[in-house]
Amino acid sequence: MSITLLKISCPDRVGLLARLTTFVAYHGGNLLEVHQFTDALNGWFFARLAIDSGSLALDTAALSKAFSSLAVDLKAQWSIRETTQPMRVVIVVSKADHCLADLLWRWRSAEMPMEVPLVVSNHEDLRPLVEREGVRFELVPVPGEKSGCPEARAAAFAKLTGLFREARADLVVLARYMQILPASICEEWFGRVINIHHSFLPSFAGANPYRRAYERGVKLIGATCHYATADLDQGPIIDQEVVRVEHFHTPDDLLRLGRDCERLALARGVRYHLDDRVLIHGNRAIVFRD
Amino acid sequence: MSITLLKISCPDRVGLLARLTTFVAYHGGNLLEVHQFTDALNGWFFARLAIDSGSLALDTAALSKAFSSLAVDLKAQWSIRETTQPMRVVIVVSKADHCLADLLWRWRSAEMPMEVPLVVSNHEDLRPLVEREGVRFELVPVPGEKSGCPEARAAAFAKLTGLFREARADLVVLARYMQILPASICEEWFGRVINIHHSFLPSFAGANPYRRAYERGVKLIGATCHYATADLDQGPIIDQEVVRVEHFHTPDDLLRLGRDCERLALARGVRYHLDDRVLIHGNRAIVFRD
Amino acid sequence: MSITLLKISCPDRVGLLARLTTFVAYHGGNLLEVHQFTDALNGWFFARLAIDSGSLALDTAALSKAFSSLAVDLKAQWSIRETTQPMRVVIVVSKADHCLADLLWRWRSAEMPMEVPLVVSNHEDLRPLVEREGVRFELVPVPGEKSGCPEARAAAFAKLTGLFREARADLVVLARYMQILPASICEEWFGRVINIHHSFLPSFAGANPYRRAYERGVKLIGATCHYATADLDQGPIIDQEVVRVEHFHTPDDLLRLGRDCERLALARGVRYHLDDRVLIHGNRAIVFRD
Amino acid sequence: MSITLLKISCPDRVGLLARLTTFVAYHGGNLLEVHQFTDALNGWFFARLAIDSGSLALDTAALSKAFSSLAVDLKAQWSIRETTQPMRVVIVVSKADHCLADLLWRWRSAEMPMEVPLVVSNHEDLRPLVEREGVRFELVPVPGEKSGCPEARAAAFAKLTGLFREARADLVVLARYMQILPASICEEWFGRVINIHHSFLPSFAGANPYRRAYERGVKLIGATCHYATADLDQGPIIDQEVVRVEHFHTPDDLLRLGRDCERLALARGVRYHLDDRVLIHGNRAIVFRD
């Protein structure tokens, strides 16, 4: 069954949900699922409506047009999308393969409603893993920050975003990409770049989180799936996962145990995004989980 | 702020949520929170609407009357309740105090929106714990099943339900009550008696779950909060909690660790019920968590 | 560094650990790690000693010989093994690939200290997944239990165990193998066949656990990694994993969420076994976790 | 049964455990349980030996004397204690009662092997809760840091530690005490003051962790049980607990959910300490869990 997803956030006011559900009913739409959240502290309204596409009297374009005048009145941010058109996801990696292998397995198993037109890396290592799945792999080496070649570095990132555009990416997933995206990319692609950080943010933001977790002697480690922003590791958090550790776990053990957290948190976060279940407000992510 | 809660379940059909939200809007109601779930496998619709009571043009009685004709048309099970009237909860215990002490602490801390007019037990042991909180305690001894006195046993349970009625109980919580309620009581009070079972159901239904968990060598134990039904330990599950255990944990350790699971699962389950967040359908509980 | 692992279980008596550590010290051994557990309820002693192989005056064969007279005196079950010789693991599958893909990824990532000489299946489906990793794949079709050909079925299992022996398997992992091994194989290979069951045992032993979990309305589902025994789903439990579910999860969602539990529980269970961290006593598994 | 507990940490060397177990055997001791951990990264050895006191040829004082010469040779930090002498625990609180009520319940239920000679607070509020348990309550008001009376503040803390000494405290538990102990007290009482912090450290160290967790939009909150040190919230971590939260949880909800984390983490941490299961090394706590 094809489903039409309406996602909306706007200032709260009386009767919002009645207006939305009446709008859908007016166009013949059969509501399959409604999620709504009113942030009373900030006076904001969030909703996600899943509608049986076949029941609608209008196609997606016409429905969007009909909705846009209502949306203007509500000062809303919104989107309408049909699930027959899965998102196109570009995965960006470095050398670590666990998140990539996991995403590819879930994609192949039809667990993730997405297309993967491209994987990009700054290293060659993972090319075989990608190409054996019949997925295009592109190498975009990035000169180090201390290379003294800011122009070459900028050119590399320009090439990267060029590839995103060429692949008509709806979403970019940084699956343990060990480069920091320039602020300008984070801003241009805001809400469309998901990153996995290998710590339980805000703990151990920045480099070497497992080593620092070991040194601090924490009893739980974790991973955080969040939207990339210009402020490193500060973007809206979509999901987190933790695992209990003990004194006998070395930094290498934390790495190993952390990999499982990273795979799970990233997979869940990406899945929520692909299904239009995430709405961003300021630095918080409203996630209508499934 | 006083909140009016509308809880409803009925056969699914097109436009249900629009009808409900329009009904609320028609009577001036400002929707604070809406939860909706359509069970597509069984064709059933569930919703909980939280309305700002002050915005409504009608009082609860009049609103209920207005709703009843709509409800008949929808073949709905429903309730409308104002939160200014917290539920009256009778707690029933035997000798173990951990669940009782926890519920009383949460009640005293205003974490649980309830009144506790009465605690009943088949033993005297917990009287001081109850009375020092200023709560009435009643002893209702129950002759054993093998006592050869079925009449005395029936009389004891009749006294028990008499006390429930006298206390105008909206909810009965079996907080480690070591007697099996007669089927007739479970049926009469269906959906209004919550029990805590000291295992992760359906594992180890029946007696001595911790001992059996130890013998089976499981690596996780737990507790289950469910509605009491005539079929022992088979009622709709509201919440469950687990904790990891290891080979070095004795049956006594499982008892100790299990107590924390029981307290948490029971407290959450009762809290969901008190806030009209649970809808029963067949043997499953739909829980709109907060 | 090569490590010599001494694993022992025997009736408890005074001074056991002193005798073991003195034995090791007598032969020059430097103890890297000692795990010990006394089951006071059953009067049984369990230990695992990790010794720096380089510090030992004897090689593994000579050390084993020296230990055997002590072991006879202690009425002990024991093993001595050097980690330079990783276990040989045969993986047995049907059509589901998630556990297999996960084990192969962990093996390739050197997270699992094992060799994989062979994967066997009763279906062709997973051959490509296996062979692209350079691992041998064998098809052994098994006639159904209701096929009326018990001889053909027995022959299939004889072929299966023949392959185990030919591959010199130290361990057999049933990674979602949808056939029931004959009791005779379970007995002959006792303690060397690990299975993953897709429920939180003892809940939902047998077939279709996710469907039954859905129908029962549980709030947590899970997976169990255990040794295969003639009594189906009754063997010693090595590890379990659970995940929280809600009313909106369909049986298909439980399948999806359960796959992650299965992968994690199986990987941990196998890893503990490969590292000689599991000792079986009756129907319980003592697991010295890392 | 009375148990003699030997706790030791020292630089690692060959044959340490053999020397310890031989020492115990020499004095007739029957080992009930041995925990050992070698921190290979830092070259340090940790052990806890539980000995049946009745089997020992010496009493605790004589055994300690016998051990002290061995300990000097090993450059060890160590203690020998008999469990017949439970630790004396002073609990320090402010106004929040959840941790205190929980500790008192566990103490009354014999879940915590301790004596509670005294509860101290800087407010009167919790006096009734304490005195009704038959426990002494002392009020020690502390002038605010900005009161301009550093002398009065110092005097208050002097009174506090005077009470600790008068009560012959083996352990001080800060059960949501909203004052910062002076560095001098933390140093003098190092390893004998346990604090509960209401966040998953190192996240949200300092004030208002739940408000900040809400603002950051994390998907898991927690609590940390650690030894108090002069560096606020930086001491060795004994245990941590987390709970999943969602966008619909307000800061007040986080407070409520956090209370359960705090109670559990503090209870476990204190229990481990009471049972001599915690060894501190630098800023990390080795915890031999039960």
Side-chain angles (χ1 to χ4, degrees):
Chain A
M1 183 204 299
S2 173
I3 296 173
T4 298
L5 296 173
L6 165 55
K7 216 170 79 167
I8 179 170
S9 64
C10 62
D12 191 28
R13 62 162 80 173
V14 174
L16 266 178
L17 195 61
R19 286 180 74 172
L20 294 177
T21 55
T22 302
F23 170 83
V24 172
Y26 180 80
H27 294 291
N30 183 18
L31 279 172
L32 301 172
E33 192 181 34
V34 173
H35 286 93
Q36 171 267 345
F37 169 61
T38 303
D39 181 345
L41 295 178
N42 299 297
W44 219 260
F45 172 90
F46 306 86
R48 175 188 185 270
L49 288 76
I51 310 159
D52 175 357
S53 306
S55 66
L56 284 163
L58 307 175
D59 67 10
T60 301
L63 190 75
S64 296
K65 202 174 162 210
F67 191 71
S68 61
S69 55
L70 175 55
V72 167
D73 182 40
L74 301 178
K75 296 186 172 59
Q77 277 199 296
W78 61 283
S79 71
I80 292 180
R81 193 174 67 91
E82 217 176 333
T83 56
T84 42
Q85 211 56 34
M87 290 194 196
R88 296 172 65 82
V89 180
V90 172
I91 304 174
V92 188
V93 294
S94 288
K95 290 180 173 179
D97 72 346
H98 55 289
C99 287
L100 174 65
D102 190 67
L103 288 174
L104 290 176
W105 173 78
R106 291 182 199 268
W107 160 69
R108 188 162 32 84
S109 310
E111 197 177 280
M112 291 290 217
M114 66 182 178
E115 289 176 31
V116 184
L118 175 68
V119 172
V120 193
S121 178
N122 55 336
H123 296 283
E124 273 291 340
D125 307 55
L126 301 183
R127 181 185 292 275
L129 186 70
V130 172
E131 294 187 340
R132 75 180 186 179
E133 299 285 352
V135 173
R136 179 183 166 204
F137 178 92
E138 288 291 336
L139 175 72
V140 179
V142 178
E145 286 195 81
K146 293 167 182 170
S147 64
C149 302
E151 297 82 4
R153 202 169 150 80
F157 284 117
K159 185 173 172 195
L160 195 69
T161 49
L163 285 167
F164 296 169
R165 271 185 285 269
E166 184 196 318
R168 288 177 292 121
D170 296 302
L171 177 68
V172 173
V173 175
L174 308 179
R176 295 300 308 273
Y177 183 54
M178 303 309 279
Q179 293 288 332
I180 297 171
L181 287 194
S184 58
I185 298 183
C186 292
E187 279 152 22
E188 186 190 340
W189 287 77
F190 178 69
R192 291 179 295 158
V193 179
I194 288 179
N195 183 47
I196 181 73
H197 185 78
H198 42 320
S199 88
F200 180 85
L201 289 175
S203 291
F204 311 119
N208 293 322
Y210 292 126
R211 162 59 65 174
R212 288 152 63 208
Y214 172 81
E215 284 164 2
R216 182 62 189 90
V218 292
K219 297 301 185 188
L220 288 157
I221 60 164
T224 304
C225 178
H226 65 98
Y227 288 104
T229 52
D231 283 337
L232 195 64
D233 300 333
Q234 300 295 319
I237 294 172
I238 312 174
D239 206 356
Q240 301 191 288
E241 181 68 41
V242 285
V243 66
R244 206 164 271 278
V245 296
E246 302 199 40
H247 58 267
F248 49 72
H249 289 113
T250 63
D252 280 350
D253 289 325
L254 302 195
L255 265 166
R256 170 174 56 83
L257 294 166
R259 281 196 293 262
D260 285 330
C261 290
E262 294 167 36
R263 301 197 303 177
L264 287 172
L266 181 61
R268 286 202 303 259
V270 170
R271 198 172 185 281
Y272 296 149
H273 182 97
L274 293 175
D275 214 13
D276 273 320
R277 293 180 176 279
V278 191
L279 293 94
I280 302 174
H281 189 63
N283 205 40
R284 307 177 75 230
I286 282 73
V287 182
F288 295 125
R289 296 190 306 107
D290 77 338
Chain B
M1 183 204 299
S2 173
I3 297 173
T4 298
L5 296 173
L6 165 57
K7 217 170 77 167
I8 178 170
S9 65
C10 61
D12 192 28
R13 61 162 81 174
V14 175
L16 267 178
L17 195 61
R19 286 179 75 172
L20 294 177
T21 54
T22 302
F23 170 83
V24 172
Y26 180 80
H27 293 291
N30 184 16
L31 280 171
L32 301 172
E33 193 180 33
V34 173
H35 286 93
Q36 172 268 341
F37 168 62
T38 304
D39 182 344
L41 294 179
N42 299 299
W44 220 259
F45 172 91
F46 305 87
R48 175 188 186 271
L49 288 75
I51 310 158
D52 176 357
S53 306
S55 67
L56 284 164
L58 307 175
D59 67 10
T60 300
L63 191 73
S64 296
K65 201 175 163 207
F67 191 70
S68 60
S69 54
L70 176 56
V72 167
D73 181 39
L74 301 178
K75 298 185 171 56
Q77 277 198 295
W78 61 283
S79 70
I80 292 180
R81 192 173 68 90
E82 216 176 332
T83 58
T84 42
Q85 211 55 31
M87 289 194 197
R88 296 172 65 82
V89 180
V90 171
I91 305 174
V92 188
V93 294
S94 288
K95 291 181 173 180
D97 72 345
H98 56 289
C99 286
L100 174 67
D102 191 66
L103 288 174
L104 290 176
W105 173 78
R106 290 182 200 269
W107 160 68
R108 188 162 31 85
S109 309
E111 196 177 279
M112 292 289 216
M114 64 183 180
E115 289 174 34
V116 184
L118 174 68
V119 173
V120 193
S121 179
N122 53 336
H123 295 282
E124 273 291 341
D125 307 56
L126 302 182
R127 181 185 292 274
L129 187 69
V130 172
E131 294 188 340
R132 74 180 188 180
E133 299 287 351
V135 173
R136 178 183 167 204
F137 178 92
E138 288 291 337
L139 175 72
V140 180
V142 178
E145 287 194 81
K146 294 167 182 169
S147 63
C149 303
E151 297 82 4
R153 202 169 150 79
F157 284 118
K159 184 173 174 196
L160 196 68
T161 49
L163 284 167
F164 296 169
R165 270 185 287 269
E166 182 196 319
R168 289 177 290 121
D170 296 302
L171 177 69
V172 172
V173 176
L174 308 179
R176 296 300 309 275
Y177 182 55
M178 303 309 279
Q179 293 289 333
I180 297 171
L181 286 194
S184 59
I185 298 183
C186 292
E187 278 152 23
E188 186 191 340
W189 287 78
F190 178 68
R192 292 180 294 156
V193 179
I194 288 179
N195 183 46
I196 181 73
H197 184 79
H198 42 320
S199 89
F200 180 85
L201 289 175
S203 292
F204 311 119
N208 292 322
Y210 292 126
R211 161 59 65 173
R212 287 152 63 207
Y214 172 80
E215 282 163 3
R216 181 62 190 90
V218 293
K219 297 302 185 186
L220 289 156
I221 59 164
T224 303
C225 178
H226 65 96
Y227 288 104
T229 52
D231 283 337
L232 195 65
D233 300 334
Q234 300 296 318
I237 294 173
I238 312 175
D239 206 357
Q240 301 189 288
E241 181 67 40
V242 284
V243 67
R244 205 164 271 277
V245 296
E246 302 199 39
H247 58 266
F248 49 73
H249 290 113
T250 63
D252 279 350
D253 289 324
L254 302 195
L255 265 167
R256 170 174 57 84
L257 294 166
R259 282 196 291 262
D260 285 330
C261 289
E262 294 166 36
R263 301 197 302 177
L264 287 172
L266 180 61
R268 285 202 302 261
V270 170
R271 198 172 185 280
Y272 296 149
H273 183 98
L274 293 175
D275 214 13
D276 273 320
R277 293 179 177 279
V278 190
L279 294 95
I280 301 174
H281 188 63
N283 205 39
R284 305 177 75 231
I286 282 75
V287 182
F288 295 125
R289 296 190 305 108
D290 76 336
Chain C
M1 183 204 298
S2 172
I3 297 172
T4 298
L5 296 174
L6 166 54
K7 217 171 76 168
I8 179 171
S9 65
C10 62
D12 192 28
R13 61 162 80 173
V14 174
L16 266 178
L17 195 61
R19 286 179 75 172
L20 293 178
T21 55
T22 302
F23 170 83
V24 172
Y26 180 81
H27 295 289
N30 183 16
L31 279 172
L32 301 172
E33 193 181 33
V34 173
H35 286 94
Q36 172 267 344
F37 168 62
T38 304
D39 181 346
L41 295 179
N42 300 297
W44 220 259
F45 172 91
F46 305 87
R48 175 188 184 269
L49 289 76
I51 311 158
D52 175 358
S53 306
S55 67
L56 284 163
L58 307 175
D59 67 11
T60 301
L63 191 73
S64 296
K65 203 175 161 208
F67 191 72
S68 60
S69 54
L70 175 55
V72 166
D73 182 40
L74 301 178
K75 298 186 172 56
Q77 275 198 297
W78 61 281
S79 71
I80 293 180
R81 193 173 67 91
E82 216 176 332
T83 57
T84 43
Q85 212 55 33
M87 289 194 197
R88 297 172 64 82
V89 179
V90 171
I91 304 174
V92 188
V93 294
S94 288
K95 291 180 173 179
D97 72 345
H98 57 288
C99 287
L100 174 65
D102 190 68
L103 288 174
L104 290 176
W105 172 78
R106 291 182 200 270
W107 160 68
R108 187 162 33 84
S109 309
E111 197 176 280
M112 292 289 217
M114 65 182 180
E115 289 175 32
V116 183
L118 176 66
V119 172
V120 194
S121 179
N122 54 336
H123 296 283
E124 273 291 341
D125 309 55
L126 301 183
R127 182 186 291 274
L129 186 70
V130 173
E131 294 188 340
R132 74 181 188 180
E133 299 286 351
V135 173
R136 179 184 166 204
F137 178 93
E138 288 290 337
L139 175 72
V140 179
V142 178
E145 286 194 81
K146 295 167 181 169
S147 63
C149 303
E151 298 82 5
R153 201 169 150 80
F157 285 117
K159 185 174 173 194
L160 195 69
T161 50
L163 285 167
F164 296 169
R165 271 185 286 269
E166 183 196 316
R168 288 176 292 123
D170 297 302
L171 177 68
V172 173
V173 175
L174 308 179
R176 294 301 308 273
Y177 183 54
M178 303 308 280
Q179 294 288 332
I180 297 170
L181 287 193
S184 59
I185 298 183
C186 292
E187 278 152 24
E188 185 190 339
W189 287 78
F190 178 68
R192 291 179 295 156
V193 179
I194 288 179
N195 184 47
I196 182 73
H197 185 78
H198 42 320
S199 88
F200 181 86
L201 288 175
S203 292
F204 312 119
N208 293 322
Y210 291 126
R211 160 60 65 172
R212 286 152 65 209
Y214 171 81
E215 283 163 3
R216 181 63 188 89
V218 293
K219 298 301 187 188
L220 288 156
I221 60 164
T224 304
C225 178
H226 65 98
Y227 288 105
T229 52
D231 283 337
L232 194 65
D233 301 333
Q234 300 296 319
I237 294 173
I238 312 174
D239 205 357
Q240 300 189 288
E241 181 68 40
V242 283
V243 66
R244 206 164 271 277
V245 295
E246 303 199 39
H247 58 267
F248 49 74
H249 289 113
T250 62
D252 280 350
D253 289 324
L254 302 194
L255 265 167
R256 170 174 56 84
L257 294 166
R259 282 196 292 262
D260 285 330
C261 289
E262 294 166 37
R263 301 197 301 177
L264 288 172
L266 181 61
R268 287 201 303 260
V270 170
R271 198 171 185 280
Y272 296 149
H273 182 98
L274 293 175
D275 214 13
D276 274 320
R277 293 179 177 278
V278 191
L279 294 94
I280 300 174
H281 188 62
N283 205 39
R284 304 177 75 231
I286 282 73
V287 182
F288 296 126
R289 296 189 305 107
D290 76 336
Chain D
M1 184 203 300
S2 173
I3 297 172
T4 298
L5 296 173
L6 165 56
K7 215 170 79 167
I8 178 170
S9 64
C10 62
D12 192 28
R13 61 162 79 175
V14 174
L16 266 177
L17 195 61
R19 286 180 74 174
L20 295 177
T21 54
T22 302
F23 170 83
V24 172
Y26 180 81
H27 293 290
N30 183 17
L31 279 171
L32 301 173
E33 193 181 34
V34 173
H35 286 94
Q36 171 267 343
F37 169 63
T38 305
D39 181 346
L41 295 178
N42 300 297
W44 220 259
F45 172 90
F46 305 86
R48 174 186 185 271
L49 289 74
I51 310 158
D52 175 357
S53 306
S55 67
L56 285 163
L58 308 175
D59 67 10
T60 301
L63 190 75
S64 295
K65 201 175 163 208
F67 192 71
S68 61
S69 54
L70 174 56
V72 166
D73 182 40
L74 301 177
K75 298 184 172 59
Q77 277 198 294
W78 61 281
S79 70
I80 291 180
R81 191 173 69 90
E82 217 176 333
T83 56
T84 42
Q85 211 54 33
M87 290 195 197
R88 297 172 63 83
V89 179
V90 171
I91 304 173
V92 188
V93 293
S94 288
K95 292 182 173 179
D97 72 346
H98 55 289
C99 287
L100 174 66
D102 190 67
L103 288 174
L104 290 176
W105 172 78
R106 291 181 199 271
W107 160 70
R108 187 160 34 84
S109 311
E111 197 176 279
M112 291 291 217
M114 65 183 180
E115 289 176 30
V116 184
L118 175 66
V119 172
V120 194
S121 179
N122 54 337
H123 296 283
E124 273 291 341
D125 308 55
L126 301 183
R127 181 185 292 273
L129 186 69
V130 172
E131 295 189 339
R132 73 180 187 180
E133 300 286 350
V135 173
R136 178 183 166 205
F137 179 92
E138 287 290 337
L139 175 72
V140 180
V142 178
E145 286 194 81
K146 294 168 182 169
S147 64
C149 303
E151 299 83 4
R153 201 169 151 80
F157 285 115
K159 186 173 173 196
L160 196 67
T161 50
L163 285 166
F164 296 168
R165 270 184 287 268
E166 184 197 317
R168 289 176 292 121
D170 296 301
L171 177 68
V172 172
V173 176
L174 308 179
R176 295 300 308 274
Y177 183 54
M178 303 309 279
Q179 294 289 333
I180 298 170
L181 286 194
S184 59
I185 298 183
C186 292
E187 278 152 23
E188 185 190 342
W189 287 77
F190 178 69
R192 292 180 293 157
V193 179
I194 288 180
N195 184 46
I196 182 72
H197 185 78
H198 42 321
S199 87
F200 181 84
L201 289 175
S203 291
F204 311 119
N208 292 322
Y210 292 126
R211 161 60 64 172
R212 286 152 65 208
Y214 172 81
E215 282 164 3
R216 182 62 188 89
V218 293
K219 298 300 186 187
L220 288 156
I221 59 164
T224 303
C225 177
H226 65 97
Y227 288 106
T229 53
D231 283 337
L232 194 64
D233 301 333
Q234 300 295 319
I237 294 172
I238 312 174
D239 205 357
Q240 301 190 288
E241 182 68 40
V242 284
V243 67
R244 206 164 271 277
V245 295
E246 301 199 40
H247 58 266
F248 49 73
H249 289 113
T250 63
D252 279 350
D253 289 325
L254 302 194
L255 265 166
R256 169 173 57 85
L257 295 165
R259 282 195 292 262
D260 286 330
C261 288
E262 294 166 36
R263 302 197 301 177
L264 288 171
L266 181 61
R268 286 202 303 260
V270 169
R271 199 170 185 280
Y272 296 149
H273 183 98
L274 293 175
D275 214 13
D276 273 320
R277 294 179 177 278
V278 191
L279 294 95
I280 301 174
H281 188 62
N283 205 39
R284 304 177 76 231
I286 282 75
V287 182
F288 295 125
R289 296 190 305 108
D290 75 338

